[in-house]
Amino acid sequence: QSALTQPRSVSGSPGQSVTISCTGTSSDVGGYNYVSWYQQHPDKAPKLIIYDLSKRPSGVPDRFSGSKSGNTASLTISGLQAEDEADYYCCSYAGSYTILFGGGTKLTVL
Amino acid sequence: QVQLQESGPGLVKPSQTLSLTCSVSGASIGSGGYYWSWIRQHPGKGLEWIGYIFDSVSSYYNLSLKSRVTISIDTSKNQFSLKLSSVTAADTAVYYCAREPTLWGAVDVWGQGITVIVSS
């Protein structure tokens, strides 16, 4: 199974909103509402920011939101802040006890 | 607070077996209810799910690695382990151990990661 497809990079200015897409197939993203998103700062372990498509773990600001349309999931970050600059990875259940990650997107806050 | 810590050799020779251990603190791995996972990240690249184990006996692996991977649990030591056989330079990566409350891929606790280099 191939990795999920994400844009290599996105950027935005402080206060703006950005959306990161994550495209899979009907066997993974499109077939389940089990998409999660991770934020990873340099030399740090990833941090869960969205799970089950649109739920936020405790402590994650509501500036982060998740959604899906067809085989594409999206992470939207509103009110961009400097500390949001990081790599973002999507992840989807792909059936039969299989997990797929996306290739990652580098977010630059201008 | 649950914490995970990877340990093992940072350098492995080609064709040998990579062996890593994840020590769990703040929770009893034997109490069940969680998927204990291994995930890796190649240098400058994205994340790759390796596999997970549930309830000490049920393990599931990435199909691309399945023939070389074994994940096991030692409840007496509150640890779980990864063995990856016949390694090549392509297995050079940061290896993370992790915990998932469900099998859907939502990792709520990560280890700090351990760098493993495959080289002679």
Side-chain angles (χ1 to χ4, degrees):
Chain A
Q1 284 159 312
S2 301
L4 307 174
T5 301
Q6 297 182 234
R8 280 199 170 241
S9 64
V10 297
S11 62
S13 299
Q16 288 186 333
S17 293
V18 294
T19 296
I20 299 171
S21 61
C22 170
T23 301
T25 69
S26 57
S27 296
D28 38 69
V29 174
Y32 305 93
N33 285 333
Y34 296 127
V35 175
S36 50
W37 290 89
Y38 298 90
Q39 177 191 64
Q40 185 179 35
H41 287 108
D43 298 321
K44 298 291 187 183
K47 172 189 173 184
L48 181 67
I49 55 173
I50 295 288
Y51 68 100
D52 291 359
L53 192 61
S54 59
K55 298 177 181 177
R56 285 184 308 277
S58 174
V60 174
D62 59 7
R63 302 186 295 104
F64 295 88
S65 62
S67 62
K68 185 181 83 168
S69 177
N71 296 335
T72 298
S74 298
L75 171 71
T76 298
I77 309 171
S78 59
L80 265 181
Q81 300 181 2
E83 59 261 35
D84 297 335
E85 184 162 296
D87 293 328
Y88 291 83
Y89 293 91
C90 63
C91 174
S92 176
Y93 182 64
S96 301
Y97 299 94
T98 300
I99 304 296
L100 284 178
F101 282 97
T105 298
K106 181 177 179 59
L107 168 63
T108 300
V109 180
L110 301 171
Chain B
Q1 181 182 356
V2 180
Q3 292 184 314
L4 308 180
Q5 178 68 59
E6 304 89 350
S7 61
L11 180 64
V12 181
K13 289 182 166 50
S15 79
Q16 292 190 340
T17 295
L18 178 162
S19 296
L20 297 176
T21 297
C22 183
S23 299
V24 180
S25 60
S28 171
I29 203 171
S31 61
Y34 289 96
Y35 291 78
W36 302 96
S37 309
W38 289 94
I39 295 162
R40 70 181 182 180
Q41 186 167 31
H42 294 101
K45 302 293 185 182
L47 300 166
E48 180 181 29
W49 178 74
I50 297 172
Y52 48 38
I53 188 167
F54 180 75
D55 274 354
S56 300
V57 293
S58 302
S59 54
Y60 306 94
Y61 306 123
N62 185 321
L63 290 179
S64 68
L65 299 170
K66 187 174 183 179
S67 63
R68 300 193 291 131
V69 174
T70 302
I71 296 176
S72 59
I73 280 182
D74 187 337
T75 54
S76 67
K77 296 181 179 179
N78 218 34
Q79 297 174 336
F80 63 105
S81 300
L82 168 72
K83 290 189 186 299
L84 180 66
S85 64
S86 304
V87 298
T88 69
D91 295 308
T92 293
V94 175
Y95 286 77
Y96 294 99
C97 62
R99 186 188 79 168
E100 302 183 40
T102 70
L103 57 81
W104 318 129
V107 174
D108 65 346
V109 181
W110 295 76
Q112 65 182 28
I114 183 169
T115 298
V116 178
I117 297 172
V118 178
S119 175
S120 55

